[in-house]
Amino acid sequence: MTTKNTPGLPSLGAEGISLARLVVLGLATLSFVTAAAGQLRLSEQASAAFIKADGGYSQYAVNRGRATFAWRLDLFADAAINGNIFFLSNLRMLQDQIIHVDLFAIKFADLASTGLNLEAGEIELPFGNLGERRFPKSNPFYGLPLTHEHVTTLRSSDYSLWPSTSYYAIAGDGVRILDQGLYDLGVKLYGGAGMFDFWIALMNGMVSATSTYSTGYGSSGLNTNSRLGMIGRLAMTPLTGVTLGGSYATGPFLKEGGAYSPGGGVDPSEIDQHIVEADLDFSLEHAALYAEVFYNVWTFKEAIGSDLNAFGYSVEGRYTLLPRFLIALRAGGLRFNDVSVDTYNGGYFIQHYEGPWDHDVFRLEGALGYRLDRSALLKIVYEWNRTFRVPEDPADNVLVMQAVVGF
Amino acid sequence: MLIAQAGWANLHSRPFIFLAACLLLLPEYGLLAQSGVRGRVVVPANDEFAEELLRERSLTRYEMHLHTTGDPVQPYRLSEKAVIYLESTEAASAAYDPPALHPQLNQSQMLFRPLVLPVLVGTTVDFPNNDDLFHNVFSYSQPKEFDLGRYPRGHRRSVHFDHPGVVNVYCDIHSYMYATILVLENPYFVVPEDDGGYNIDHVPPGAYRITFWYGRKKVSERPVLIEEGKTTVVNFDY
């Protein structure tokens, strides 16, 4: 959970409202055209939440600890043009009433009867095992795993680190390690053979800073440096209910044309993000387990003297106690390496800094869910957050009550 | 029953008498006509249910191997999606013994088969998984709430239905999958033949309501009077 307005996802801000309306109008038109032929599937997930966080100084303290209501709407509009060509889209709106276009892709299925599928446009990035859990109805918690939520001290727009300035360090003002729901403009090819499934993707940005990332210098959606990001993923399902997966992503993540040089005479396009992850999905009877571990490097060594590394994990278990009644537990943590760098301290001068480039964090979440109906879920979630290697662990636990309906 | 009482051996030794007896016993000849109802249902030629389910399946985003599920999916036969049943409009009806054999609601090719399953109250229904992936069958319908969890191909779970009513069944993993179990108070129900013909016999005389259920909903319902020794004809047009 963050205090920010989901900057990791493409957003059509105030200047983009008219475009957003055009998108909605386009989808509405599409719905009229295709609904007549029975080709369109429109569905929504709407949720309303009450959130009360502790009032500590932390990026996890939603609304700075002031109790607040919030809502979210996800609109899915998918069309089957024919048996092999599809249009897929997700639109998401929060209480700020800005429309975020998450997914906007054309899918070609079973290319030349090879079993291969191709998606192009704004695609869901094939990294990790988040899957349907990114949507409120399939997510027993309020937020995503910490890897997708924690805002680091590293900014992609001006190449700055803010580890020595508590405002930026703990409040968070940089990129996430994985950019929330993980969507970007690009293309992906995927398919399966036997127990194996694979994905290959090329995209404008990187998993920590997609091309639609909107902080700093805004977002055009277009590629902001001279190379593309790449993702490969392989998963195997040796038994029904057991899937082991691994993903690797690499590519430049900095935006060219930022305000500051990354340092050392290094071109921004030479600074890459490399991230590798492994995951496990297991389910049987009324239990399900999702686990993920990853290791991430941003290659800043030549520029500032140290690479920026992060290690993270997430383990989520859920159990259906009775029909309608669900219990879930999730633990996740992030660890960051020590650096010795010359960096900006929040002003306009360089300062030498030695220490962790971000603060290690741990989050334990517990959730109870009750299904009023097949398509209506009530949740109560408690997040217990801990921040390490800081003088004082900020009070930033969070209580959320959320109602979700799908229709 | 009458034939059995007459004795097979005795009749078999006198073939002409046996043939004549059979003819006289046929309901069409009216001498020993069964009380009941028969007729025909007319439905659209295309199978809109399978088409819709397959379209939804093709749009599923988080399941791989969707295009390699083996044999092509066969459309639902009429007997898998239509039911005609009688409900007594008079005082409490008699108790009936549920069948010893468990009817099945199959999970196959990521669809439920049949689409509609009529059962007598007190019946236990089996839910076998015939797919190489998990399903999670559940229902929150008032007559019976259940959640069967996930189990692999070749395994089954069973549910006992002890209250009458409409039970909507879904899969928690594949949201487009659905089926309906009609838990009925008496055994006077039938699924139509592929040509639409149906016949419910051995119905005690009395006032009933006859219902035609097709796919997800009750299409038509009308009163019908069953008279002793007579077969009433009721046709339904969707």
Side-chain angles (χ1 to χ4, degrees), chain B:
Chain B
M1 182 64 75
L2 289 172
I3 291 172
Q5 285 170 346
W8 271 104
N10 200 22
L11 285 170
H12 193 63
S13 63
R14 297 169 185 160
F16 293 109
I17 296 173
F18 171 65
L19 182 62
C22 287
L23 287 172
L24 287 171
L25 288 170
L26 285 175
E28 283 75 7
Y29 287 81
L31 296 181
L32 277 174
Q34 300 291 348
S35 305
V37 58
R38 65 180 174 83
R40 185 172 299 277
V41 298
V42 178
V43 299
N46 66 318
D47 181 5
E48 70 272 33
F49 303 111
E51 288 171 9
E52 180 197 344
L53 286 165
L54 291 176
R55 186 171 58 249
E56 293 285 311
R57 197 181 81 172
S58 73
L59 288 167
T60 299
R61 295 183 185 178
Y62 297 103
E63 190 82 59
M64 296 298 289
H65 306 306
L66 288 177
H67 295 276
T68 56
T69 50
D71 299 332
V73 173
Q74 297 299 315
Y76 284 112
R77 298 173 62 174
L78 188 55
S79 59
E80 293 181 292
K81 58 186 176 182
V83 176
I84 299 99
Y85 60 91
L86 292 168
E87 293 170 290
S88 176
T89 57
E90 297 173 344
S93 56
Y96 303 93
D97 291 333
L101 222 64
H102 295 180
Q104 292 188 348
L105 188 62
N106 287 284
Q107 303 143 61
S108 178
Q109 293 182 299
M110 300 167 76
L111 304 176
F112 284 116
R113 280 187 181 275
L115 197 61
V116 188
L117 178 66
V119 300
L120 181 62
V121 68
T123 298
T124 298
V125 175
D126 289 346
F127 295 82
N129 181 5
N130 299 308
D131 282 332
D132 285 326
L133 42 76
F134 277 150
H135 295 289
N136 190 147
V137 183
F138 75 96
S139 176
Y140 297 151
S141 295
Q142 191 272 332
K144 188 71 179 183
E145 287 191 11
F146 61 90
D147 186 324
L148 302 183
R150 303 173 182 207
Y151 48 94
R153 183 188 184 101
H155 290 239
R156 66 183 60 201
R157 298 287 182 271
S158 301
V159 177
H160 185 73
F161 292 92
D162 42 14
H163 295 288
V166 177
V167 178
N168 294 311
V169 180
Y170 302 100
C171 173
D172 194 34
I173 301 170
H174 308 103
S175 58
Y176 56 88
M177 287 175 64
Y178 72 91
T180 306
I181 297 176
L182 299 175
V183 186
L184 302 167
E185 290 187 77
N186 66 50
Y188 308 123
F189 58 82
V190 71
V191 295
E193 301 291 334
D194 287 340
D195 65 359
Y198 76 90
N199 184 18
I200 308 174
D201 54 15
H202 298 291
V203 182
Y208 290 85
R209 188 168 48 243
I210 187 167
T211 301
F212 171 38
W213 185 286
Y214 185 62
R216 291 182 125 152
K217 62 184 181 184
K218 190 184 284 185
V219 169
S220 181
E221 182 181 78
R222 61 185 78 159
V224 60
L225 186 65
I226 305 295
E227 295 180 86
E228 180 71 48
K230 287 188 177 175
T231 298
T232 308
V233 175
V234 181
N235 295 318
F236 292 101
D237 198 344
Y238 180 67

Side-chain angles (χ1 to χ4, degrees), chain A residues 129 133 241 280-284 287-291 315-318:
Chain A
N129 63 346
R133 290 182 293 144
L280 165 71
D281 287 15
F282 171 78
S283 60
L284 187 65
L289 177 78
Y290 305 93
V315 182
E316 173 183 331
R318 58 174 84 173

